[in-house]
């Protein structure tokens, strides 16, 4: 009748990031077929003042590693945002999946009520672990994963919602 | 150390649909300022073979009402997809929020292990309530909410992630 904090975080992150890898493989194949370099996709945006594909992947993975680290009461690993190619972005996705694979359900025990402090531009915000998941971690994560997908889709990569859902 | 099925569904739906209403208000104001009718946004898409804004709202609300109904073991209310204006889409969002407000946490008790059968194009799929949330309901819901946002943003509506997150 309840779900563990692990169950409400890691399976989402693992599933959606794995799906993104498969979506990027389809983008790769499509770029080869249409004879363009995937570097074009790396810097593509949905609006001139929105972040490019590269940043969507960087921030999605940041939210995944940030969420499990914060809930486990561990420091959030800091990774440079220096990826400029599909292969480098794939490596970042795989690095995140590797990190997620090390998280044990018991690492997140008790984190629903444990306070999580976020350093936002507007100042520090402290939320319970549960509120952090509902108000910040999952909406942010899905925002960037969906936007990454939408940028590829907008550029004609032949993917559909079944690729997104996995 | 655990979250209720209610806690992992209704607060997401309520929060994100409420934020969409506020985002649509900003789109309204922006359309007035730029002198175009929001009807243009209703039928806007990110790709010619993607669904328009209207459908993104219809499907997002379908997933919200579908999820709470299925988890509660109730029939899913069927609503016609006949909205063609911002005001009609707003009414659908409000109708969904009203429905969500009637759900009590106890209505979803035990639904984590109760089987949920989905009628997909590929055939019937049966999942536990928990797997249904992780694999289908929340990813689908966020997919359509984010895409609705992205369509407006792509068309120059001045909104940012703080509007999306609420």
């Amino acid at each position: 009748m309840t779900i563990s904090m692990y169950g409400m975080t890691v399976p989402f992150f693992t599933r959606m990031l794995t799906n993104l890898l498969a979506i990027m493989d389809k983008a790769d194949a499509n770029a080869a077929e249409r004879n363009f370099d995937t570097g074009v996709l790396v810097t593509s945006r949905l609006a001139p003042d929105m972040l490019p594909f590269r940043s969507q992947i960087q921030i999605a993975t940041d939210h995944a590693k940030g969420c499990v680290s914060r809930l486990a009461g561990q420091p959030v690993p800091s990774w440079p945002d220096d990826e400029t190619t599909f292969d480098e972005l794939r490596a970042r996705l795989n690095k995140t999946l590797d990190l997620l694979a090390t998280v044990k359900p018991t690492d997140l025990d008790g984190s629903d009520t444990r306070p999580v402090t976020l350093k936002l531009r507007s100042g520090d915000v402290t939320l319970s672990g549960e509120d952090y998941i509902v108000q910040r971690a999952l909406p942010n994560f899905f925002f960037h994963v969906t936007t990454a997908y939408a940028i590829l889709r907008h550029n004609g990569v032949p993917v559909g919602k079944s690729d997104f859902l996995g």
Side-chain angles (χ1 to χ4, degrees), chain A:
Chain A
M1 118 181 198
T2 57
I3 307 186
S4 68
M5 289 295 279
Y6 179 93
M8 278 319 302
T9 52
V10 175
F12 282 111
F13 299 144
T14 301
R15 186 176 179 92
M16 302 310 297
L17 298 181
T18 302
N19 297 350
L20 269 184
L21 281 168
I23 287 166
M24 287 177 69
D25 286 347
K26 290 202 175 180
D28 245 345
N30 184 246
E33 206 177 294
R34 291 162 67 198
N35 201 26
F36 67 84
D37 191 283
T38 50
V40 177
L41 298 173
V42 168
T43 56
S44 285
R45 305 164 191 260
L46 290 179
D49 56 348
M50 266 184 101
L51 293 169
F53 181 77
R54 174 178 57 199
S55 306
Q56 305 298 339
I57 299 291
Q58 288 163 345
I59 304 177
T61 52
D62 279 349
H63 282 291
K65 71 176 163 65
C67 179
V68 294
S69 303
R70 289 185 188 106
L71 292 179
Q74 299 293 322
V76 180
S78 175
W79 298 347
D81 293 329
D82 57 2
E83 295 85 358
T84 59
T85 66
F86 251 41
D87 277 346
E88 287 169 357
L89 290 171
R90 256 193 275 264
R92 185 174 181 127
L93 287 164
N94 280 313
K95 192 174 168 184
T96 312
L97 289 168
D98 289 346
L99 183 150
L100 292 167
T102 66
V103 181
K104 292 185 293 294
T106 50
D107 295 340
L108 308 190
D109 277 0
S111 62
D112 53 330
T113 53
R114 194 184 300 150
V116 170
T117 299
L118 302 171
K119 294 184 182 309
L120 305 181
R121 262 180 256 170
S122 47
D124 285 8
V125 173
T126 300
L127 298 167
S128 70
E130 179 168 349
D131 285 347
Y132 166 57
I133 289 182
V134 171
Q135 297 175 22
R136 296 276 150 188
L138 284 185
N140 255 312
F141 175 75
F142 274 111
F143 179 91
H144 292 287
V145 168
T146 308
T147 305
Y149 167 94
I151 290 170
L152 300 184
R153 188 74 170 72
H154 177 63
N155 279 285
V157 173
V159 285
K161 206 170 61 177
S162 59
D163 297 294
F164 180 84
L165 294 176

